[in-house]
Amino acid sequence: MPTPLISGTSAPLRGTIRVPGDKSISHRALILGGLAVGRTRIEGLLEGEDVLRTAAAMRAFGASVERLPGDGNAWVVDGVGIGGLAEPDDVIDCGNAGTGVRLLMGVVAGHPITAIFTGDASLRRRPMARVTAPLLQVGARFVGRNGGQSLPLAVVGAAEPMPISYRLPVPSAQVKSAVLLAGLGAPGVTTVIEPQPTRDHSERMLAHFGAQVAVEAVTGGGRAVALVGQPELRAADIVVPADPSSAAFPAVAALLLPGSEVTLPGVGVNPFRDGLFETLREMGADLVLANPREAGGEPVADLVVRGGGRLKGVTVPAERAPRMIDEYPILAVAAAFAQGRTVMHGLAELRVKESDRLSAVAQGLAVCGVAVTIEGDTLTVEGTGGAPPEGGAAIASRLDHRIAMSFLVLGMAARQPTRIDDGEPIQTSFPGFVPLMNGLGASIAPAADGEEEPS
Ligand code: S3P
C-alpha cells in the first residue's frame, strides 16, 4: 500500500540523532559473514528492507543469519565457507536492492549452484549486463529476460570458476564487488581495474576477513584491485558506521533551516563516499566532521551541521561523481536554495539507479518552481537565492527512497508544503526517517491519498 506523505514548513532542527547503519557495508557484512568459517557478529546493521532481503538470501544459501534478542541491534552470521553454499530451493527476491542482487550474482557465479533472482518493478528495470558480462568470463551462465540482461534471471554458477582480469567500463562498486566475490571461488588472482575509483568497502572487508587483497594505483588516477582466490575467510566482527548517504538528508535539511544545529554521530567518512560533504563545504555550508576515528576498519566522524548560512552555487566536476553518486538528488535540493547556479557534471549513472534520478530530480524541482536543465549528463539548477523555492507540489517517489526523502526535505524549507505519493520506499534504506526527522523539529505527516496527480 502506498503511503503518501506531506512535509510542511519546519521549525529549526535541533538535536542529536543516530542515522541507521551503512547500506553498502551491511550487505557486504552479511554476504562475507555467510562465506566465512565461524560466527560473525555485526553491530549497527541497517535493518532496512534492502538488507533484510540479503539476510534472507544468505539464509536460503545455507548460512544462519539471526538478530540477537535483547542485544542492541547485534546480528550474528554463521558462515558456510567459500564453496559451501547450498542451492536455494526457491527464487531469491532482492526487492529494491541493486547492491544485494548484483553482489549475490557474483557469489553464485563462483559456486557450482544455480539460483534464480528477481526483484521489485524498479529492480526488474535495472541493467544487469554490467555484471553478467564479467561473470560470463568467470564461467557462469545466465538465462533471463532481455537476452539475459534483466531480472528475473537464472545464474548457473561455474563448476570451475576462472580468475579474470576485468577493466570496469562504468565506475561501479557493485560490478567490482561482484567480480571479486566470484573470484573468491577461483584459483589464482582475480583483478579488477577501475579507471575511476569507487567505494572500497569490499576490499576493506575482504582483508578484514583474512583474504589477500592488493590495491595499486594505475596511471590516470585509477586503481587495480587484486584478490588471491580460494582463501579461507575467517569470521570477523563488524561495526557498521552510520550511513553517510542517509546522514545527507538531515544534514541538508539542517543547512536549509536557519537556527538549526544537528549532530549525527558515527557517520562513515570513507574517502570514496565523502563527495557530498566536500561539495556542501564548497557551497559555504557550516558542516564539521568532528572527532574523526576508525570503527571496524572504516573511518567515521561526528557530523555537526549548523543552518542558516548562505549557500552559493558551485560546479561539481564529473570526477567526483563516484564519491557521491547517491547524493545528487539531495544536493540538487540544496542547490535549489542556493545563491546562483549549481552545475553537476558526469551524471549518466543516475539514469540507472532505483529510478531515472536525473529526470526525477529535474521534473520534481521544476514543479516546485526551480529552474533546472539537463544537457547530456549535466544537471544545472538555478538557485532561488534569498527567497526559498515555492514547493507546494505533488511528487512521484518512483519506488526510489532517495527521491522520496529529497523532496520531503525540500518541503521542510520551501514556501508551500510538498507531498510525495509514497513514503514506503524509504524503508529500504532509512527505517524511522519520519519519526527521527520529526523528533528534530520537522513536520512530516501522512497525507490524504489522491489529492493531486504526482509529477
Ligand atoms: C553501491 C554502489 C553504488 C551505489 C549503491 C551502493 C555499493 O552503485 O549507487 O547505492 O554498495 O556497492 P554503483 O556501484 O553501481 O554505482
Side-chain angles (χ1 to χ4, degrees):
M1 275 297 284
T3 317
L5 295 173
I6 188 153
S7 166
T9 313
S10 170
L13 301 187
R14 297 202 147 261
T16 298
I17 55 167
R18 167 108 199 156
V19 302
D22 189 276
K23 182 153 72 70
S24 294
I25 295 175
S26 295
H27 283 296
R28 288 159 172 82
L30 292 170
I31 292 172
L32 290 185
L35 290 172
V37 174
R39 171 167 285 201
T40 289
R41 186 173 192 280
I42 308 169
E43 246 177 66
L45 187 83
L46 167 62
E47 294 177 340
E49 264 298 312
D50 276 17
V51 172
L52 296 178
R53 297 277 183 169
T54 292
M58 291 314 292
R59 282 190 203 107
F61 288 121
S64 149
V65 183
E66 297 306 330
R67 187 186 209 274
L68 285 182
D71 186 8
N73 73 342
W75 286 66
V76 286
V77 183
D78 290 302
V80 293
I82 290 167
L85 291 190
E87 193 165 78
D89 60 12
D90 202 351
V91 172
I92 306 281
D93 185 347
C94 289
N96 192 249
T99 306
V101 76
R102 292 189 176 123
L103 269 54
L104 289 168
M105 283 167 68
V107 170
V108 172
H111 278 75
I113 58 172
T114 294
I116 302 165
F117 291 98
T118 193
D120 71 3
S122 152
L123 194 57
R124 281 183 270 119
R125 280 193 290 268
R126 295 180 68 183
M128 294 299 145
R130 53 180 57 200
V131 279
T132 60
L135 297 178
L136 278 165
Q137 295 179 23
V138 171
R141 286 178 295 125
F142 301 89
V143 182
R145 282 194 313 125
N146 274 330
Q149 296 185 39
S150 307
L151 302 178
L153 202 150
V155 185
V156 182
E160 291 180 15
M162 301 280 290
I164 63 167
S165 177
Y166 190 70
R167 189 182 167 85
L168 293 184
V170 284
S172 167
Q174 295 177 353
V175 178
K176 169 175 64 177
S177 303
V179 174
L180 294 174
L181 287 166
L184 285 173
V189 177
T190 292
T191 306
V192 180
I193 298 145
E194 42 178 14
Q196 275 185 282
T198 64
R199 64 191 69 192
D200 64 352
H201 306 304
S202 296
E203 297 91 301
R204 285 175 187 256
M205 208 183 286
L206 280 162
H208 185 61
F209 278 84
Q212 255 179 277
V213 189
V215 181
E216 269 180 32
V218 296
T219 37
R223 306 180 339 139
V225 181
L227 167 78
V228 178
Q230 300 183 338
E232 182 168 295
L233 295 183
R234 293 182 308 271
D237 291 351
I238 305 273
V239 181
V240 182
D243 196 326
S245 300
S246 297
F249 298 101
V252 168
L255 288 174
L256 299 182
L257 292 160
S260 295
E261 178 164 342
V262 168
T263 301
L264 308 166
V267 174
V269 288
N270 182 303
F272 298 106
R273 297 283 299 279
D274 64 357
L276 175 73
F277 303 144
E278 180 179 341
T279 306
L280 290 173
R281 282 227 204 81
E282 285 175 3
M283 294 172 83
D286 184 351
L287 183 151
V288 177
L289 300 176
N291 192 16
R293 57 202 186 271
E294 280 252 323
E298 289 278 347
V300 300
D302 304 328
L303 196 59
V304 183
V305 190
R306 291 183 191 88
R310 280 267 169 93
L311 296 179
K312 63 175 195 305
V314 293
T315 295
V316 189
E319 306 81 76
R320 201 178 294 166
R323 287 175 47 223
M324 54 177 296
I325 193 67
D326 293 334
E327 281 65 77
Y328 284 100
I330 191 64
L331 174 65
V333 167
F337 289 80
Q339 202 99 48
R341 170 180 295 180
T342 295
V343 184
M344 295 160 260
H345 293 297
L347 306 192
E349 279 294 298
L350 291 198
R351 297 252 186 228
V352 291
K353 294 297 177 189
E354 285 82 332
S355 68
D356 175 347
R357 287 184 177 160
L358 208 43
S359 100
V361 164
Q363 279 183 27
L365 287 180
V367 294
C368 288
V370 180
V372 47
T373 51
I374 300 174
E375 242 179 282
D377 59 4
T378 295
L379 177 69
T380 302
V381 175
E382 304 289 345
T384 52
E390 188 59 30
I395 308 290
S397 300
R398 307 183 185 208
L399 289 177
D400 190 329
H401 51 136
R402 300 199 202 281
I403 295 302
M405 289 186 278
S406 295
F407 283 96
L408 290 174
V409 168
L410 182 138
M412 291 167 62
R415 284 199 250 181
Q416 303 292 332
T418 301
R419 186 175 172 278
I420 59 166
D421 68 341
D422 191 11
E424 211 44 49
I426 296 171
Q427 296 301 330
T428 61
S429 70
F430 200 151
F433 174 77
V434 172
L436 272 177
M437 295 299 281
N438 284 347
L440 290 174
S443 70
I444 304 173
D449 202 359
E451 281 166 4
E452 202 184 322
E453 269 306 295
S455 314

